[in-house]
Every structure is written in C-alpha cells, then in structure tokens.
Amino acid sequence: MKKTVRIFWMIFLGGFLAFVVLVMMANFGVFGKMPSLTELENPSILQASEVYAADGTLMGKYYTERGNRSNVKYHDISQHVIDALISTEDERFYSHSGIDFKSTMRAVLTAGTSGGGSTITQQLAKALLDQGSKNRAWRMIEKLKEWIIAVKLERNFTKEEIITLYLNAGPFGNNIYGIRNAARTFFQKEPDQLNVEESALLVGMLKGNSIYNPVRNPKAALDRRNIVLGQMEINGKLSHEQAVKLKATPIKLNYRKLDENTGYAPYYREILKTEIKEALKDVKKPNGDSYDIYNDGLKIYTTINPVMQEYAEEGMALQMMALQKSVNARGAIKNGTIWKDREKILERAMKESERWSNLEEDGLSDKEIRASFSVPVAMKIFAWNTRREKDTVMTPMDSIRYHKQMEQASFMAMDPVTGEIRAWVGGIHFKTYKNDHVNLKTKRQVGSTIKPLLYTQAMEERGFTPETECENVAQFFPGSGWVPSGKKCGGGVLKMADALAYSKNCATAYIMKQVGPQQFADFLARLQIPTKVNPYPSIALGTCDLSMYEMLWAYTIFAGRGFSTRPYSISRIEDRNGNLIKSFENSVNRKEVVSEVTAYTMARMMQGTVDKGTARGMRTRVGAAEMGGKTGTTDDNADAWFIGYTPQLLAGSWVGFDDQFIRNEGDGSRMARPITEYFFRKVLDDKKLGIERDAKFVKPAVMENEITSADIQISDTDPTPAGQGDDQGNGNADDYSTDYGADTLGAESKKFTDEDLNNPANHKKDTVNKNPANKVDEKPIGSPADQPKKKKGIFRRIFGGNRNN
C-alpha cells in the first residue's frame, strides 16, 4: 500500500512539476514570443485606417483582410451586445480571473460536447497571439500560452476593457473584423444602436462566422440567434415572454459589404495612400516600428469637402455622358476602323489584363489564352447609367476596344489662398479605370491654359498692361525655326486683354518674343511646380506636358495675391487612440512670385475669357460677381482644358482619351468647360458651403485710384475670328449653356454609411436600453453581489470610462 501511495505521489508531483516547467517555458517564450505587459497595454491587433473629410464624414478605409476593423469604446457598444456575449460565451465572466476551472473541467470530461472551456479573456488572448493550430499537441502548448496571457490581462485590465478589446477583435466573416464593422455591414448601424435580436445575431456569429453567416446560411443563423436569446433568458437578461416574441422575429438585414470603391473620392483616396506613406516615412511608433497604413488604425483627416466632391462628380457625369454619345456615333467607332493598324495597342492591353494573368496562372499557353479573347462570354462592362455598369455578352477583345473608346476626364478644386484641396475626380469611374488624371505623375499638353502665366510675366517684368498692343502676325524665332499659326493670324494689333480673352496664338507668340523662352521657363520654375519645362518658344502655346495638380498650383498666384501655394489635402494624422502623429501646415509651401498688383490685374483681365471670350457668358451663368478663367486646346483636339476661379475657389477640368490617336470633337470651351461651370453653379447656389457669389478680388491699396473692374475693356466680339490653332468658342451665349435640368446620373462617390454614421460628431451616445420593457436585470451576468473595485489601466483611457461608473 505504501508503495502504491508513493508511486501516486511521484506521478502526481512529477506531472505537476512538468506542468509548472511547461508553463514557465511558455512564459519565457520557449514556444514562441510572449507579449510583454507594455505590448498588452498597447495591443497590436490589426485595425483599418480611416480617412475623414473636412466635416468629419468618413470617406473610406485602408485595410488588409485581417485589418478591416474599426475600434469603438465600451460606452459605444449596446448593452444588449454585452449581455448576449456574456450569456453565451462566459456566464461567470465577472467572477473568474481569466480561467474558469469549472468550465475547463467540464470541457475536458465531456471532450467539448457540452461546450468549450475558454473564457472571453482566453479567447481574447488567442486573438492577441493569433493562434489556432490544427495540430492537437501544439494546440495544448498554445492553450498554456493563452492561460498565461489571460491571467495577465485580468490582473492589469478591467472587465470592461477586456470585453471592449474582445469585441473590437472579433471575426464576423467575409473579412469583417470588430463589432463596429459588423454592425455597419449587416445593419448599417453603429454598435450602440443595435437592438436585442441584432445583438444576438452578431454574437451568435462568433461561434462560427461562416456557418452562422445570415447572408449565406439564414436558417442556421436564425437558429443560432435564438440559442443566444435563450441564453439571455436563462441569465435574466430577457423575460420568458420577450424571448419567445424575439425568437419568432425573422432576421432583418440591411447588408452592404464595403470595398475599395465604397465611400467618397476613390481616386483621391488611392493617391492619398502614397502621400501618407511619404509623410510618415520618418515617423516611428513608440516601439520603433514604422506605421502601417493598412493595419495600424490611423485616422487621416483631410481637407476634402464631400458636398463639393459630389457636385464635381455630378458635373463630370452629366458632361461625359453627353460627349460619349457623340463619340459612339462616329463612323470609325461604329465600324471599328478606328482600330486599323492599332494591333500593338490591343495586344499590350490584352497581356496587361486581369483575364490574361488569371489564365496564365491556370497554366494555359499564350496561344490558348489569345484564342480565348475571341470567344464571347457574359460580362459586366462600364456604362453611363446610375450603376455605372451593364450586363452583356461580348468577346474579351471587344471589351478592350469598348473600354478604350471611353472618353476620359479629370477635375480638381481647391482654395487658392490656403491650398486646401476640396474635390478630386481622377477619372470617369474608379472601379473600371484606375488611372488617375489629376495627380503629379499624369501629364498632358496644357494648351492655352499656360498663356495667363506668360502674360503675367510680361506684366511683371516687361511692363505690359491690359492695353499694351501686341502684334497679331506670324512670329519667327531665330534658331528654332518655329512659326506659330503662320497661315492664319488675322493680322494687325490687339490689346493684350483681347489677345488673352480670345486666346490668340500669334499675339501670344509676340509676347513670348518680348519675354524670352528661357526667361519664361525660369518663371515657371519659380512657381515651384515640380516638372521642369524646357525653354522652347512653343511652350507659349502650351506644348509642354503638365498635370492638373500642377496647373492649379500655378494658377493660385491669381486669387492668391501673387503667392504660389502648393495644393495639399491632409490636415492631420492620429494614431488609433487619437494621439496626434503629425499635423500639416501649408505656410512653408507658399511663396510670393509676383506682386499683388500684377496678380490683381491678371485676375481682372482673365474675366474677359468668362465674360466675352472663349468661355463667353460663363460668369453670368454661374452667378459670380467676379471670376477669371482660361480655356485650353491642344493640336488636333487631343486635350481640352478649362481652369476657372473666384476669390475663394479655384477649379479645373480636362477631357481627352488615354489613347491619344482618338481625338476630342471640340475645344476646351465645349469639352471641359461645362464640367467646371456645373461645379461653380452648384457650389455658389449652396449657401451652406460658404463660397460667396458676391466675393471680389482684393484690390491692392496702391491701386485704389488706378484700376476698376470696368477699366479693362474687352472687345464684344473676336477682333480676328478663327485664327488657326486658336481656341474656338466665342459666339452666342446659348452655344455654351449647360442643361442643368437634365437628369443627372449622380456622383460616383457614395456615402460610406448613413450620414449619421459617417460623422463622428453625430454618433449617438448612451441610447441603448432606453425602453424599460427591454430591461430585466441590470446586474451583470454572473457577477457577485458586490463588484470588486475596478482595476486601473491604460485601456481606461483608450476605451473610455466604465459604463457603470
């Protein structure tokens, strides 16, 4: 007998000692690195970064599959969610210290058939450690690590903090992580707005987010929801009558999955990623690591105005839909001859397509893949309708031709004084066409939009005035042999104001002769635009390639009182806890280039374009007291531009084809100007935006008795009509009217969620359980009669105060 007892104690003590050694080895990282207390206080659970507009509207998010989450604080979670979670997952949550030995023993003795033994804290530890091995032996080691972390969590954080972190980390299927994203995706609500049955459904999904997904498996999801409701009844959170009634209620979803195209200004948000990475390249997290835009839960606050963004997209859709009808009616487009001798372009597009890449990965040969592009298949293609797509059957090669025949456009708007970007539309449809036509890297010939910059230099450095007479005849430039518009100049002389209003090439070439190509190239460099412009005489007519971003940057000198101001769009970046990482001041990006007198005179002179010149009548139609602008058209109508501004707002639009052998059918006034005009009209009509239609350019004090808006006289008609290469457009006002009453397709941007959800300032607080009938027992499930004093921790600051405080 003594020998048997001795053997028992040896086995018991040996097993216990082995267990202790295993625990110590796990704690010291033998089986994998264990997070320190500091790391637990600042958990690295992946979290999506969010982009906000100037008014606080959520524009969109950046995330990886695991990082698509958005954290909330404890008091922003419905009490129904918390009751459902504890009732179902951990009834003794408030009485254990991380490990529920009763549940653990039950799970061991029943092999898990009566439920698992993991507490909420252990499940949180599993998520923090990113564990879940399929190997049973290794899973036991993982369990030890989870126990250790669970105990550490309980010793250092309050129960409310643990629940909050658990719900922020929970997976809800379809790459949806966290209670906030789940509430938004399945119900278009914030977590504090969830009712009992919605809370039970989401908590039920945590048991198996694929099996109990209400979209994929509605019957299983309903059964699981009702199990949760039953647990809430058992634990005193619902009366029997309430539970019966709620179990009979069908699931009511308002499901909308978020993707990269959801939200405001998708083209802008794509470009913004690069800017954020550049801005944070030298900024480190407290642990010394670099910030990750996809996983670190950054809050990026921008200067984009969502209402202006919508107006810009509406104007583009209205104009481009009309232009595309004309394109589609062309004979060469209808019969396909536009693609004659363009096989190399189509071949390149085919090999760069996603279809080619997928078939190549599947092991098909080039010959087989190429043959598949001639087989008709069902597909969705871009279309000018409210959905921006339609179903059809065509060959993949015809699809390539079809999409390349779509006319493209871009638009940007900004504050010309501060540099804050208000709207950004990089193309006609981000989901289909990813190429952004606004950013610094996308450059096109700018045509006559460059002329005001040349005229500005002539005024600033050569003493020109609006009344200076300019020769309107062919100009010869020694050494270059360039003679602009030699066949048709119109002859005679023109006042500089008329030459600009009616965009006269020969008169502009005369001004270039007085300024000098090298001097003008140097002047453009002083504007701080990044692209170097070579000093050829032809740059007077805009033969250089510049981006929309750079052109608006250059135009800031007019309404900006002589200062060149770099456009910017990020106001500040915060970490996931709301701590400021970096703020952005634009004062360092402002530089005085010309005098205030020259800037004001040019602004007044450029009103000639929108009053009587190539954009005749535009100022009157939009209702602006004072306004400047300029059209631009390049050779063979490859590019059409218009840039306009009031004292408070600067905007520009461009229209053209990515494949430049397909040409526009008109100039800047006909093709691009209507987009900007629609935008200004809508903005000036919307008094909430604060852009005043009566605003006037600030006249320098030294000019008080020198010039008024009426002093710059513009001829009522083009003095020399139809000069070759000139921007055509002057004529009757009716020729330039936009049908604002026409049915619009709406903006491409869609609100990320409902308006009240998007604006953090409008999130509802403490709105749960307002109905007394829904409240049965206020005491937390499984809590002792007297709650122990809550532990203090950093999560209190992260997640807010305790609900019961």
Side-chain angles (χ1 to χ4, degrees):
M1 189 71 178
K2 291 182 179 179
K3 185 177 181 180
T4 305
V5 172
R6 191 182 311 114
I7 292 173
F8 169 79
W9 280 109
M10 288 178 64
I11 293 174
F12 176 80
L13 291 174
F16 178 76
L17 182 61
F19 177 77
V20 171
V21 171
L22 276 175
V23 170
M24 292 180 65
M25 291 172 68
N27 187 49
F28 287 107
V30 174
F31 304 116
K33 183 179 182 296
M34 295 284 279
S36 65
L37 180 60
T38 301
E39 289 172 324
L40 289 175
E41 290 179 335
N42 297 277
S44 59
I45 281 184
L46 308 182
Q47 180 181 343
S49 292
E50 298 179 332
V51 180
Y52 291 93
D55 66 351
T57 298
L58 178 61
M59 296 174 62
K61 301 194 291 185
Y62 302 126
Y63 55 87
T64 57
E65 290 185 358
R66 290 293 307 276
N68 185 14
R69 72 183 86 236
S70 178
N71 287 349
V72 292
K73 298 179 180 179
Y74 181 85
H75 62 261
D76 291 327
I77 303 172
S78 168
Q79 186 65 42
H80 298 312
V81 174
I82 296 168
D83 290 344
L85 176 66
I86 298 176
S87 297
T88 308
E89 296 293 327
D90 193 353
E91 293 178 339
R92 286 177 289 278
F93 175 71
Y94 284 100
S95 59
H96 66 64
S97 297
I99 302 172
D100 186 346
F101 290 102
K102 182 177 180 180
S103 294
T104 300
M105 289 304 299
R106 183 198 68 219
V108 171
L109 294 174
T110 63
T113 58
S114 299
S118 293
T119 63
I120 288 175
T121 316
Q122 286 175 264
Q123 294 177 49
L124 172 58
K126 179 182 177 182
L128 286 169
L129 294 169
D130 194 19
Q131 295 186 155
S133 175
K134 300 296 183 182
N135 182 292
R136 290 191 176 185
W138 186 251
R139 183 72 191 115
M140 292 301 297
I141 298 296
E142 289 183 343
K143 279 284 187 181
L144 285 177
K145 294 169 68 177
E146 289 163 17
W147 285 358
I148 295 169
I149 295 300
V151 172
K152 288 184 178 181
L153 288 170
E154 290 279 347
R155 289 178 60 188
N156 291 280
F157 307 129
T158 68
K159 292 289 186 177
E160 286 82 359
E161 291 166 351
I162 291 170
I163 282 181
T164 304
L165 187 54
Y166 176 84
L167 287 170
N168 280 330
F172 291 89
N174 292 344
N175 298 325
I176 301 165
Y177 291 85
I179 188 66
R180 190 181 197 189
N181 279 353
R184 285 175 165 181
T185 301
F186 288 98
F187 301 109
Q188 302 305 301
K189 289 184 176 183
E190 283 295 309
D192 63 358
Q193 299 168 325
L194 295 168
N195 59 32
V196 179
E197 60 269 31
E198 292 166 346
S199 300
L201 179 71
L202 294 181
V203 168
M205 291 178 67
L206 293 171
K207 179 76 172 179
N209 53 56
S210 179
I211 298 173
Y212 302 119
N213 187 310
V215 177
R216 294 181 176 180
N217 303 303
K219 177 63 170 62
L222 179 65
D223 293 342
R224 178 63 185 167
R225 183 203 69 176
N226 289 347
I227 289 174
V228 175
L229 291 172
Q231 286 297 112
M232 294 179 73
E233 178 189 352
I234 292 172
N235 286 277
K237 293 290 112 179
L238 292 175
S239 67
H240 176 70
E241 293 75 16
Q242 286 176 314
V244 171
K245 181 179 179 181
L246 290 172
K247 287 179 181 180
T249 303
I251 293 175
K252 297 178 181 178
L253 298 178
N254 186 6
Y255 182 83
R256 186 168 71 239
K257 183 68 186 297
L258 307 177
D259 60 25
E260 64 179 353
N261 306 303
T262 303
Y264 280 102
Y267 281 102
Y268 164 73
R269 286 186 282 117
E270 185 65 21
I271 297 298
L272 181 64
K273 288 192 291 190
T274 303
E275 292 193 19
I276 297 169
K277 292 175 183 177
E278 179 66 22
L280 298 180
K281 66 180 182 181
D282 296 324
V283 182
K284 302 296 182 183
K285 292 191 287 187
N287 64 2
D289 293 342
S290 297
Y291 282 98
D292 186 334
I293 187 176
Y294 297 103
N295 296 322
D296 282 335
L298 303 176
K299 310 294 183 186
I300 302 106
Y301 295 89
T302 75
T303 63
I304 297 295
N305 184 298
V307 177
M308 291 189 188
Q309 180 70 28
E310 286 192 17
Y311 291 156
E313 293 178 7
E314 287 174 5
M316 179 178 290
L318 185 65
Q319 172 68 354
M320 299 312 294
M321 178 177 62
L323 293 180
Q324 194 61 44
K325 289 180 181 178
S326 178
V327 171
N328 294 343
R330 298 184 197 177
I333 295 291
K334 294 171 72 174
N335 61 29
T337 57
I338 190 77
W339 293 104
K340 185 179 179 181
D341 300 326
R342 307 291 180 184
E343 291 79 8
K344 289 184 178 180
I345 293 175
L346 297 175
E347 177 80 6
R348 183 172 62 251
M350 178 176 64
K351 290 188 174 182
E352 291 175 352
S353 69
E354 185 176 350
R355 180 184 296 272
W356 182 285
S357 178
N358 291 338
L359 293 177
E360 198 171 44
E361 288 182 6
D362 290 341
L364 274 68
S365 66
D366 284 7
K367 183 178 179 180
E368 292 172 319
I369 298 175
R370 188 172 282 102
S372 73
F373 274 76
S374 298
V375 179
V377 294
M379 64 175 69
K380 293 183 183 294
I381 60 174
F382 172 76
W384 278 116
N385 56 35
T386 54
R387 295 186 300 115
R388 302 299 201 273
E389 67 179 19
K390 67 178 181 181
D391 296 304
T392 190
V393 175
M394 65 168 58
T395 70
M397 181 55 72
D398 283 340
S399 171
I400 291 174
R401 295 189 184 96
Y402 172 85
H403 285 103
K404 280 184 166 292
Q405 289 163 187
M406 286 290 168
E407 200 157 16
Q408 293 294 324
S410 67
F411 178 91
M412 177 177 149
M414 62 178 290
D415 185 315
V417 177
T418 66
E420 296 170 313
I421 297 173
R422 299 305 186 195
W424 179 304
V425 191
I428 60 174
H429 188 234
F430 179 73
K431 185 177 181 180
T432 308
Y433 301 98
K434 293 295 191 286
N435 184 29
D436 181 281
H437 298 85
V438 171
N439 75 97
L440 272 170
K441 295 181 180 179
T442 305
K443 303 171 185 180
R444 300 286 291 235
Q445 281 197 0
V446 297
S448 295
T449 55
I450 205 168
K451 290 177 181 176
L453 303 176
L454 175 65
Y455 286 46
T456 298
Q457 186 178 13
M459 195 175 290
E460 177 81 358
E461 300 176 5
R462 298 293 186 268
F464 277 52
T465 72
E467 299 296 318
T468 298
E469 293 186 341
C470 304
E471 296 178 4
N472 192 38
V473 297
Q475 304 293 320
F476 179 75
F477 287 79
S480 71
W482 181 67
V483 182
S485 302
K487 295 180 181 178
K488 269 190 174 181
C489 284
V493 295
L494 294 174
K495 294 186 301 182
M496 187 166 77
D498 280 343
L500 183 61
Y502 295 102
S503 198
K504 292 303 174 182
N505 285 349
C506 291
T508 300
Y510 168 81
I511 297 173
M512 172 59 104
K513 253 191 162 180
Q514 315 313 307
V515 170
Q518 183 62 59
Q519 289 76 9
F520 183 45
D522 293 342
F523 176 75
L524 294 176
R526 291 201 298 275
L527 292 174
Q528 301 186 92
I529 57 176
T531 299
K532 180 182 178 180
V533 178
N534 293 318
Y536 301 117
S538 61
I539 61 174
L541 306 185
T543 57
C544 51
D545 290 355
L546 296 172
S547 64
M548 173 66 74
Y549 181 93
E550 290 172 303
M551 286 306 298
L552 263 63
W553 185 347
Y555 267 54
T556 58
I557 62 173
F558 302 125
R561 303 172 74 173
F563 282 83
S564 170
T565 304
R566 176 172 184 157
Y568 79 103
S569 63
I570 308 175
S571 56
R572 72 183 188 279
I573 301 176
E574 297 176 354
D575 67 14
R576 70 176 70 195
N577 301 320
N579 301 312
L580 181 65
I581 296 175
K582 191 170 185 177
S583 62
F584 297 79
E585 287 291 340
N586 202 47
S587 58
V588 296
N589 291 317
R590 282 175 54 81
K591 175 186 176 183
E592 187 171 12
V593 179
V594 297
S595 68
E596 188 178 359
V597 170
T598 296
Y600 177 78
T601 305
M602 282 299 304
R604 305 306 306 118
M605 191 168 77
M606 290 175 72
Q607 185 163 304
T609 297
V610 295
D611 276 354
K612 301 177 180 180
T614 54
R616 185 184 183 94
M618 176 177 170
R619 181 181 65 86
T620 302
R621 291 191 295 274
V622 302
E626 293 187 353
M627 184 180 196
K630 186 69 190 76
T631 56
T633 313
T634 62
D635 285 349
D636 298 323
N637 294 336
D639 302 277
W641 293 75
F642 181 80
I643 302 176
Y645 58 91
T646 66
Q648 296 172 292
L649 194 60
L650 167 64
S653 51
W654 165 88
V655 173
F657 290 87
D658 284 336
D659 292 291
Q660 297 187 41
F661 67 88
I662 309 177
R663 302 298 194 182
N664 292 323
E665 291 186 308
D667 55 33
S669 183
R670 178 186 170 191
M671 311 296 288
R673 185 266 316 155
I675 300 173
T676 307
E677 181 169 323
Y678 179 94
F679 174 79
F680 270 107
R681 178 164 177 168
K682 295 288 286 188
V683 168
L684 292 175
D685 283 345
D686 192 338
K687 294 182 180 179
K688 294 180 181 179
L689 293 175
I691 305 298
E692 302 172 7
R693 64 172 67 251
D694 295 328
K696 295 186 176 182
F697 298 104
V698 178
K699 180 187 289 188
V702 296
M703 299 182 69
E704 203 58 47
N705 299 317
E706 293 184 25
I707 186 172
T708 67
S709 59
D711 288 335
I712 300 177
Q713 298 295 323
I714 306 295
S715 299
D716 290 332
T717 59
D718 186 348
T720 56
Q724 182 178 359
D726 295 342
D727 288 339
Q728 304 305 303
N730 46 306
N732 297 321
D734 292 343
D735 296 336
Y736 307 97
S737 61
T738 301
D739 185 4
Y740 295 104
D743 292 334
T744 66
L745 301 180
E748 178 184 4
S749 287
K750 302 298 179 185
K751 292 182 179 179
F752 201 75
T753 54
D754 293 338
E755 184 173 350
D756 287 341
L757 269 64
N758 289 336
N759 191 340
N762 295 333
H763 288 170
K764 295 182 180 179
K765 305 296 183 185
D766 302 321
T767 59
V768 298
N769 289 338
K770 296 299 183 183
N771 184 355
N774 290 338
K775 298 176 69 175
V776 177
D777 182 9
E778 282 300 311
K779 189 167 67 171
I781 302 165
S783 63
D786 296 316
Q787 288 281 329
K789 186 176 180 180
K790 302 299 181 184
K791 300 184 285 288
K792 294 183 179 180
I794 192 169
F795 276 31
R796 181 76 55 83
R797 297 194 297 275
I798 296 175
F799 294 111
N802 297 333
R803 178 178 282 275
N804 296 326
N805 282 356

